[in-house]
Amino acid sequence: MISIRQRKGVKTTEVPEDNAAREANVKLENKLPSDGCASRRLWKLLSFTVGGTVALCIGLLTSVYLATLHENDLWFSNIKEVEREISFRTECGLYYSYYKQMLQAPTLMQGFHGLIYDNKTESMRTINLLQRMNIYQEVFLSILYRVLPIQKYLEPVYFYIYTLFGLQAIYVTALYVTSWLLSGTWLSGLLAAFWYVTNRIDTTRVEFTIPLRENWALPFFAIQIAAITYFLRPNLQPLSERLTLLAIFISTFLFSLTWQFNQFMMLMQALVLFTLDSLDMLPAVKATWLYGIQMTGLLLVCILQFFNSMILGSLLISFNLSVLIARKLQKNLKTGSFLNRLGKLLLHLFAVLCLTLFLNSIIKKILNLKSDEHIFKFLKAKFGFGATRDFDANLYLCEEAFGLLPFNTFGRLSDTLLFYAYIFVLSITVMAALAVAFHNLSDSKSQQSTGQSGKCTIILKPETAYNLIHTILFGFLALSTMRMKYLWTSHMCVFASFGLCSPEIWELLLKSIHLYNPKRLQHAKEGRVRWEHAAAGRGQAVHGQDLNQPPPLRGQQPEGADQSGVSDIRQEVPGGRARPAEVLRRRLRHPGGQYLLRAQAPAGLPAAGPAGRRQRAHDGWPRRERSRLETCRPPSLLRRDKEKPATLHSILH
């Protein structure tokens, strides 16, 4: 704060009033930022409340809408019970039969015994259904129905289908939250939910194939993606980080428990993490946590499925172990020049692939595992690497759901403008990702110790980069296998809505066409921050600068620049009157008023001494430091001061 020094011979009798005015001004200035912070907190709380309420309402409305479509399509409430069970087509009826078997068992133990020693599913064989199939959801649902007092009010079949329609509410809410986290506004989540419902033919098939495993698993997979999106945010509080990791673990475990294709979906997810970690677009520590959660959840499912050997011999377990081992063996992976880092990256990729195949073959030989060979035979025959006479592989090849994605799918997605918006956002984020990857590979400094990813958190955030690679890989999977399109199309709704509502994407677009002006896009934000700094009396030059950086020096400011961000000057006059903030702001913005500005001294410069001593100025040239009175007086008064002594009355008037 700049104050007026009293010269010798000048008598003042208004010191008590001046001190009282000063204390009043300080109290007012301390009150203003607290009111601003309180209003911002109130606005955030209001936005969170409204957005959360809209998310829950949209989820429930979607659930009711799908249940109504199912009722109108089959007249489900007007047909007999046997007709309702027949409506569960293909393997859906098989899954429902296990739920019915558990309900009809005299006791729960006898029901478990019937599932563990089943001799009805396969002819002439007794198998363990809990080991061979993912039917723990039917077991849990049957126990819940027998425990809850709802038998008189709700039939078993309705309890079953209403549970699945309720999971659709959770599914849509998770998609809503993911889009909200990426864009920063809940309007993006509303658009994602709208696109999900309007494209329901390509986003879900729960209305006519209710008991399918994917209808149980995809809601938990969406929760996992939302939790990972939040987990990848920088500077999380320790408690928030632990709770997010717990949510990721629970959702990963439930997703793995409810779908037989879990290991392949999570392998794609592990490839996403490996790509981002290799390109230094993701903190390595967080990637390690996610690798560990995937393996832990899958091993826990293996235990519940009576040590299913197919899980132990999965490529996911071998790949995650290989990534962690290769990282320990290959040191200084993220150092060196561009060509040096590129060579290390290719060597790292080759080492991980070789180690994955080696570990997987060793595990399969030890366990004598051949249960998943038909899947690899199917993939070889599908992509033209050789014919096969395997019955299961040929059965998959004959199934339309495992064929290529039909071209008319893109026409339906384009009718709702979803596909156009998705391509628009995808093209911008891909260009940004390529620029960030090239920058990170060109950076010779190691990023391992800081846990940051160069400019990735500025140009492309880690959570955005994760969802970008996620949607690309799952897009290729959907193009090759039509049944997997429901993983891609639902995330397409999230990614397209995020891009249209995110300032980050529009900033990237304007930068690419050289129309980006931070003064135009950040005017409102900087104006708010300038007001807060002025009220608090802090000297932070924030106009056009990063708020986390130190204020620029006076010598570096262009002549005539807007200096409204400098707010550490508080002029006070005797008599208890303070200069209005509006007058001070106009004085600061005027080019002729730049003599009032004093930038904060950078670290390392000597402290200001008494008046008259020669000191180093901020621009490096020696000069005599003016007194505090002189820094507040215009040049005209300084020239008049040389002619005759100035009185306090002449200075003020």
Side-chain angles (χ1 to χ4, degrees):
M1 181 180 69
I2 298 178
S3 61
I4 300 179
R5 286 187 179 181
Q6 298 181 6
R7 293 193 177 188
K8 294 181 179 180
V10 179
K11 297 182 180 180
T12 58
T13 59
E14 299 179 352
V15 175
E17 296 181 1
D18 182 53
N19 291 336
R22 185 178 307 165
E23 293 177 359
N25 289 335
V26 170
K27 292 180 180 179
L28 178 61
E29 292 168 354
N30 291 335
K31 184 179 179 180
L32 286 175
S34 62
D35 293 343
C37 294
S39 62
R40 288 201 313 276
R41 285 195 295 266
L42 181 61
W43 174 254
K44 288 182 179 180
L45 179 61
L46 180 62
S47 177
F48 179 80
T49 303
V50 173
T53 304
V54 171
L56 295 177
C57 293
I58 288 295
L60 292 175
L61 287 176
T62 304
S63 175
V64 173
Y65 173 66
L66 294 175
T68 305
L69 289 176
H70 176 260
E71 171 66 26
N72 295 340
D73 185 32
L74 299 176
W75 286 59
F76 201 75
S77 60
N78 298 312
I79 58 179
K80 299 178 181 179
E81 183 178 358
V82 64
E83 294 174 333
R84 293 170 184 168
E85 296 175 358
I86 292 175
S87 66
F88 298 141
R89 295 174 258 182
T90 63
E91 70 269 25
C92 299
L94 182 66
Y95 296 134
Y96 180 79
S97 67
Y98 301 135
Y99 166 74
K100 186 177 179 181
Q101 179 180 339
M102 284 291 295
L103 291 178
Q104 292 177 349
T107 61
L108 288 176
M109 294 304 300
Q110 291 181 2
F112 272 111
H113 186 272
L115 294 178
I116 296 175
Y117 301 97
D118 178 79
N119 55 7
K120 299 178 182 179
T121 303
E122 294 188 6
S123 177
M124 305 296 293
R125 293 185 62 182
T126 300
I127 60 174
N128 186 349
L129 292 173
L130 296 178
Q131 183 185 34
R132 291 280 299 274
M133 299 183 182
N134 298 76
I135 59 171
Y136 267 101
Q137 49 267 47
E138 277 77 19
V139 174
F140 174 75
L141 211 60
S142 62
I143 296 175
L144 199 62
Y145 184 80
R146 298 180 66 154
V147 171
L148 296 177
I150 58 176
Q151 291 85 359
K152 297 181 180 180
Y153 312 102
L154 197 63
E155 298 180 24
V157 64
Y158 279 105
F159 182 70
Y160 188 87
I161 65 173
Y162 286 167
T163 300
L164 280 156
F165 287 134
L167 284 177
Q168 285 296 305
I170 298 176
Y171 190 18
V172 175
T173 304
L175 298 178
Y176 181 105
V177 171
T178 304
S179 184
W180 186 359
L181 291 173
L182 288 172
S183 64
T185 172
W186 56 267
L187 295 176
S188 172
L190 186 61
L191 181 59
F194 171 78
W195 266 330
Y196 178 85
V197 174
T198 55
N199 295 276
R200 60 179 177 79
I201 297 177
D202 297 298
T203 55
T204 182
R205 49 180 176 172
V206 67
E207 63 188 79
F208 57 91
T209 55
I210 296 178
L212 278 183
R213 303 298 87 182
E214 65 189 50
N215 296 331
W216 288 94
L218 290 184
F220 301 116
F221 191 58
I223 294 174
Q224 186 213 38
I225 294 175
I228 291 177
T229 301
Y230 183 77
F231 175 69
L232 295 181
R233 284 187 168 187
N235 304 323
L236 283 181
Q237 296 295 330
L239 179 60
S240 300
E241 190 171 290
R242 294 190 189 99
L243 293 177
T244 307
L245 286 173
L246 179 61
I248 295 174
F249 171 74
I250 294 175
S251 57
T252 302
F253 166 70
L254 293 176
F255 169 70
S256 304
L257 188 66
T258 52
W259 201 12
Q260 66 270 26
F261 293 117
N262 58 73
Q263 51 180 302
F264 304 104
M265 303 303 103
M266 293 172 63
L267 178 62
M268 301 287 288
Q269 198 174 54
L271 290 174
V272 174
L273 299 174
F274 176 74
T275 303
L276 296 176
D277 186 20
S278 300
L279 296 177
D280 208 11
M281 300 172 68
L282 186 73
V285 177
K286 293 189 175 183
T288 304
W289 272 106
L290 296 177
Y291 288 140
I293 287 176
Q294 282 187 337
M295 291 190 294
T296 305
L298 208 59
L299 291 175
L300 186 57
V301 172
C302 177
I303 295 174
L304 289 178
Q305 291 187 339
F306 296 85
F307 296 94
N308 189 342
S309 59
M310 187 176 177
I311 295 179
L312 295 176
S314 64
L315 282 174
L316 176 66
I317 300 292
S318 303
F319 178 79
N320 287 1
L321 288 175
S322 302
V323 170
L324 298 178
I325 294 173
R327 183 187 293 173
K328 291 294 183 180
L329 296 178
Q330 192 174 3
K331 302 294 184 180
N332 300 324
L333 178 64
K334 300 179 181 179
T335 57
S337 61
F338 176 77
L339 295 178
N340 192 7
R341 289 193 63 174
L342 187 61
K344 290 181 180 179
L345 179 60
L346 294 177
L347 180 61
H348 182 67
L349 177 61
F350 180 75
V352 169
L353 291 179
C354 292
L355 193 56
T356 300
L357 296 177
F358 175 75
L359 289 177
N360 191 254
S361 61
I362 291 297
I363 293 174
K364 286 185 176 180
K365 286 184 178 179
I366 295 176
L367 299 177
N368 193 20
L369 179 62
K370 296 181 181 180
S371 58
D372 59 345
E373 287 186 354
H374 65 282
I375 298 178
F376 296 102
K377 291 178 181 179
F378 159 73
L379 294 175
K380 288 172 61 177
K382 179 179 178 62
F383 294 107
F385 294 104
T388 179
R389 297 181 61 87
D390 185 79
F391 175 78
D392 295 328
N394 287 322
L395 184 63
Y396 284 136
L397 290 173
C398 295
E399 183 68 28
E400 183 182 2
F402 291 93
L404 298 177
L405 185 67
F407 188 76
N408 58 6
T409 304
F410 302 104
R412 291 192 300 269
L413 296 175
S414 301
D415 291 339
T416 59
L417 303 180
L418 172 60
F419 188 68
Y420 297 128
Y422 176 76
I423 294 298
F424 167 73
V425 178
L426 186 66
S427 59
I428 296 175
T429 50
V430 164
M431 290 188 295
L434 292 176
V436 172
F438 179 78
H439 172 270
N440 293 342
L441 292 177
S442 302
D443 191 5
S444 60
K445 297 180 180 180
S446 175
Q447 305 291 344
Q448 294 176 344
S449 59
T450 60
Q452 300 294 331
S453 52
K455 288 188 177 180
C456 180
T457 55
I458 299 176
I459 297 181
L460 198 66
K461 299 177 183 177
E463 58 268 28
T464 306
Y466 167 78
N467 283 273
L468 170 64
I469 308 299
H470 176 97
T471 192
I472 290 176
L473 291 185
F474 280 85
F476 283 118
L477 181 63
L479 292 174
S480 63
T481 308
M482 188 188 71
R483 186 175 181 178
M484 301 303 172
K485 74 173 181 178
Y486 302 100
L487 288 163
W488 183 45
T489 52
S490 59
H491 194 267
M492 185 188 296
C493 301
V494 172
F495 201 75
S497 60
F498 138 72
L500 292 183
C501 301
S502 174
E504 177 187 3
I505 300 300
W506 292 105
E507 179 181 327
L508 292 173
L509 176 63
L510 294 177
K511 283 183 178 180
S512 63
I513 59 179
H514 304 288
L515 291 179
Y516 175 71
N517 189 347
K519 293 183 180 179
R520 297 176 183 174
L521 294 174
Q522 300 178 4
H523 177 72
K525 177 182 177 181
E526 293 178 357
R528 186 187 73 246
V529 176
R530 283 199 301 267
W531 179 85
E532 294 170 0
H533 285 207
R538 290 175 292 181
Q540 292 275 348
V542 299
H543 181 75
Q545 300 291 336
D546 188 357
L547 300 178
N548 296 323
Q549 299 297 327
L553 300 182
R554 182 177 59 176
Q556 299 175 354
Q557 295 289 334
E559 186 174 357
D562 185 2
Q563 301 287 345
S564 59
V566 183
S567 54
D568 62 338
I569 302 175
R570 293 179 293 179
Q571 295 187 354
E572 301 171 0
V573 296
R577 294 177 298 174
R579 188 178 299 244
E582 293 79 5
V583 178
L584 179 60
R585 191 177 297 112
R586 288 198 298 268
R587 176 71 63 86
L588 291 173
R589 288 177 178 173
H590 195 276
Q594 289 188 6
Y595 59 86
L596 291 174
L597 303 179
R598 294 292 302 273
Q600 291 182 350
L605 290 180
R613 292 184 57 184
R614 298 182 65 84
Q615 300 245 346
R616 292 282 176 181
H618 295 167
D619 54 5
W621 294 94
R623 65 183 180 190
R624 182 178 67 85
E625 180 184 350
R626 295 178 179 178
S627 65
R628 295 184 179 178
L629 177 64
E630 293 175 345
T631 57
C632 296
R633 293 165 56 191
S636 59
L637 294 181
L638 294 179
R639 289 194 300 269
R640 187 171 55 188
D641 184 49
K642 296 180 180 179
E643 300 174 0
K644 61 179 181 179
T647 63
L648 181 61
H649 183 272
S650 63
I651 293 175
L652 298 177
H653 299 281

